[in-house]
Amino acid sequence: MAGGGGGGGAPAPKADEPQPHPPKDQLPNISYCITSPPPWPEAILLGFQHYLVMLGTTVLIPTALVPQMGGGNDEKARVIQTLLFVAGINTLLQTLFGTRLPAVIGGSYTYVPTTISIILSGRFSDEPDPIEKFKRIMRATQGALIVASTLQIVLGFSGLWRNVARFLSPLSAAPLVALVGFGLYELGFPGFVPHVLKGGKHVFDRFAVIFTVAIVWLYAFLLTVGGAYNHAAPKTQSTCRTDRSGLIEAAPWIRVPYPFQWGAPSFDAGEAFAMMMASFVALVESSGAFIAVYRYASATPMPPSILSRGIGWQGVGILLSGLWGTGNGSSVSVENAGLLALTRVGSRRVVQISAGFMIFFSILGKFGAVFASIPPPIVAALYCLFFAYVGAGGLSFLQFCNLNSFRTKFVLGFSIFLGLSIPQYFNEYTAIYGYGPVHTGARWFNDIINVPFQSKAFVAGVVAYFLDNTLHKDPTIRKDRGKHWWDKYRSFKGDTRSEEFYSLPFNLNKYFPSV
């Protein structure tokens, strides 16, 4: 643990006394960092593994939303293809022009409550045709996403988020990043966890997802064709069979998603404001996920201008989601951030290859649908591992803080506790009554208040940020917060390694210099 802050005149330790582990601003023991790609065969396999991991969220969100919108298997397959296609484009844009971190940009659960509010709004109840109702709801979601994208675009490219990020310290980052991972515990354990493959060679560690998914999916497929689930309960069949999703039959062989494929977007001011708040919550969560990604990619801390640039490009990603009609916004994939830790490969090229797989299999629908038929329990079992890694990455920032300081203990403990307690209250209230604690006649206003308080990472991050920057600020506290460790990364030119990791390609830094 680093930092003084009221440590007093402690005597120098004796030579034979145990010493604390020295803090590391770059994570050691990473096999391949951002700029050191693995050999092509290994990189292709690792990229395919990232594609498999991001499929979970890509399939689960449309599977939950499309039937409520009135769509069938055909519409569900097209939405999944579209979400996959846009995710590939957004990931390429982020790795080329955004933060340049190996971050996968995919769908986000943060936007789901607002989308459900649009589905339940009364203006679609008069449509008798379910397919036409689906298209109308999708067009309304598109309009809300297009407007909401302006928030991140403006905050990112104007540099406003850079000014916010400059006040971030390791102490306030720790609860934010920790609950970006740990806060998703509800998605992790549905009652099925596959065995973990272990072996003496790196191949079992580095490609554990491919081995695990292949073995368990094949096992589930054999049980399905063998009739083992024929007389099982409906819930068991829906989660364990490999042919229940209806994707393989419904997916076309070849189809290229295109903008406005559902028709011209429709706009509603209330829904746009509600989606804008969901976008802001996703912005905070993605900031924490970006921090976890740079840590596991063995890069130096991100200069605030780089984080702001990445948020701007994520806003462009939300705009593309609205134009193409994915029914969901974009944010950093937390599970793929955890995969970086599992494989110890933080190469940018690997994630760019995975983006190629996303685009390729979104166009070749039948092949992509085969991989998308992986039963949900397999996905949830993988989440247990990936979200735990991301949460632990957040706790690792405490190495820069003085944990003997009572101020540090209060900021850390209070923010994490409220980050778990407040969303628990809001979620339980919603589960019991069918609506959130804020319940007025304006559904969009309810979402503006309820959605932020349902996000554990958002609540913990905001509370920690506020307390860390307002509570007992004096020069001696600076080291307790770990702020002195990040001083040289406040500007892009403060450390020579920032240019190696974060500079734009094609000599674009000359025309778009980072501050």
Side-chain angles (χ1 to χ4, degrees):
M1 291 167 289
K14 297 178 182 178
D16 58 344
E17 286 186 357
Q19 300 296 312
H21 296 288
K24 303 281 189 183
D25 56 1
Q26 279 185 268
L27 190 65
N29 303 319
I30 296 295
S31 301
Y32 299 98
C33 71
I34 295 182
T35 54
S36 58
W40 277 104
E42 189 174 344
I44 291 172
L45 280 176
L46 288 165
F48 181 70
Q49 195 166 235
H50 272 281
Y51 162 73
L52 285 180
V53 167
M54 66 85 58
L55 271 180
T57 302
T58 304
V59 173
L60 289 176
I61 292 177
T63 300
L65 292 178
V66 170
Q68 297 185 60
M69 298 166 76
N73 285 338
D74 288 348
E75 288 72 31
K76 181 170 69 173
R78 290 172 65 185
V79 172
I80 290 173
Q81 280 184 274
T82 305
L83 188 55
L84 198 58
F85 182 81
V86 173
I89 294 175
N90 289 338
T91 301
L92 283 177
L93 290 175
Q94 189 64 238
T95 54
L96 285 172
F97 307 115
T99 59
R100 306 222 66 209
L101 288 169
V104 172
I105 308 297
S108 172
Y109 293 102
T110 305
Y111 298 91
V112 170
T114 309
T115 306
I116 290 177
S117 289
I118 295 175
I119 294 172
L120 297 177
S121 62
R123 58 197 179 103
F124 304 112
S125 57
D126 59 343
E127 180 57 62
D129 182 9
I131 303 303
E132 188 58 34
K133 179 183 177 183
F134 163 80
K135 291 182 178 179
R136 286 181 61 190
I137 294 174
M138 182 61 80
R139 293 197 293 268
T141 307
Q142 285 182 260
L145 285 170
I146 290 171
V147 176
S149 67
T150 59
L151 177 75
Q152 292 197 24
I153 291 174
V154 171
L155 287 178
F157 290 136
S158 69
L160 289 174
W161 197 246
R162 176 188 68 216
N163 296 329
V164 174
R166 279 182 173 160
F167 292 95
L168 200 65
S169 72
L171 177 56
S172 54
L176 170 62
V177 182
L179 289 199
V180 163
F182 294 145
L184 297 172
Y185 60 82
E186 294 168 345
L187 302 174
F189 195 78
F192 177 84
V193 180
H195 297 288
V196 179
L197 285 171
K198 294 185 178 179
K201 296 184 178 180
H202 285 300
V203 65
F204 292 109
D205 297 329
R206 199 157 289 165
F207 304 110
V209 171
I210 291 179
F211 284 121
T212 305
V213 169
I215 292 172
V216 180
W217 185 87
L218 179 61
Y219 182 61
F221 175 75
L222 292 176
L223 290 177
T224 300
V225 298
Y229 297 124
N230 287 352
H231 303 291
K235 186 175 182 180
T236 302
Q237 294 197 41
S238 66
T239 56
C240 296
R241 294 183 69 103
T242 59
D243 58 355
R244 295 291 288 184
S245 62
L247 294 177
I248 299 177
E249 297 83 0
W253 281 103
I254 298 176
R255 178 179 175 273
V256 180
Y258 55 92
F260 308 121
Q261 57 188 328
W262 315 110
S266 62
F267 296 90
D268 179 89
E271 293 169 357
F273 281 118
M275 192 67 80
M276 200 171 284
M277 178 52 76
S279 174
F280 182 68
V281 174
L283 182 157
V284 174
E285 293 174 346
S286 291
S287 296
F290 276 132
I291 294 172
V293 169
Y294 93 65
R295 188 69 184 160
Y296 283 128
S298 193
T300 53
M302 265 186 304
S305 60
I306 301 302
L307 176 58
S308 189
R309 188 176 75 194
I311 293 300
W313 278 103
Q314 185 170 276
V316 173
I318 299 172
L319 175 62
L320 295 181
S321 298
L323 294 176
W324 260 260
T326 63
N328 190 254
S330 301
S331 70
V332 179
S333 169
V334 179
E335 52 267 37
N336 287 87
L339 181 59
L340 298 177
L342 175 67
T343 60
R344 300 187 186 183
V345 176
S347 168
R348 184 186 298 131
R349 179 183 294 173
V350 167
V351 171
Q352 290 171 339
I353 291 172
S354 77
F357 278 117
M358 296 174 209
I359 296 172
F360 178 76
F361 284 117
S362 69
I363 295 173
L364 296 179
K366 289 288 187 188
F367 294 100
V370 171
F371 297 113
S373 67
I374 298 171
I378 302 178
V379 176
L382 295 173
Y383 283 173
C384 293
L385 191 60
F386 300 141
F387 295 158
Y389 262 126
V390 173
L395 296 180
S396 72
F397 288 104
L398 296 175
Q399 66 182 300
F400 304 113
C401 307
N402 178 14
L403 292 179
N404 291 317
S405 163
F406 278 93
R407 179 188 184 277
T408 301
K409 294 184 194 315
F410 174 72
V411 173
L412 178 66
F414 191 66
S415 60
I416 290 180
F417 184 84
L418 286 188
L420 295 172
S421 182
I422 291 176
Q424 182 72 14
Y425 166 72
F426 273 75
N427 290 329
E428 283 188 1
Y429 193 102
T430 304
I432 293 171
Y433 296 103
Y435 50 82
V438 178
H439 183 59
T440 67
R443 189 182 291 273
W444 61 270
F445 178 78
N446 301 338
D447 286 343
I448 288 177
I449 307 299
N450 291 328
V451 168
F453 290 108
Q454 290 176 332
S455 168
K456 301 173 181 66
F458 180 84
V459 173
V462 169
V463 171
Y465 184 88
F466 175 77
L467 292 176
D468 189 37
N469 285 287
T470 58
L471 189 65
H472 305 311
K473 288 199 69 177
D474 60 68
T476 61
I477 297 299
R478 187 173 178 79
K479 286 189 176 181
D480 287 354
R481 305 167 60 205
K483 198 78 172 75
H484 61 298
W485 282 94
W486 284 3
D487 277 345
K488 61 181 176 180
Y489 304 109
R490 280 173 60 89
S491 68
F492 182 75
K493 298 186 182 299
D495 188 277
T496 55
R497 293 170 294 178
S498 294
E499 187 168 353
E500 175 190 355
F501 295 131
Y502 302 115
S503 61
L504 291 170
F506 316 122
N507 206 24
L508 289 174
N509 265 65
K510 182 191 299 183
Y511 308 102
F512 304 99
S514 299
V515 181

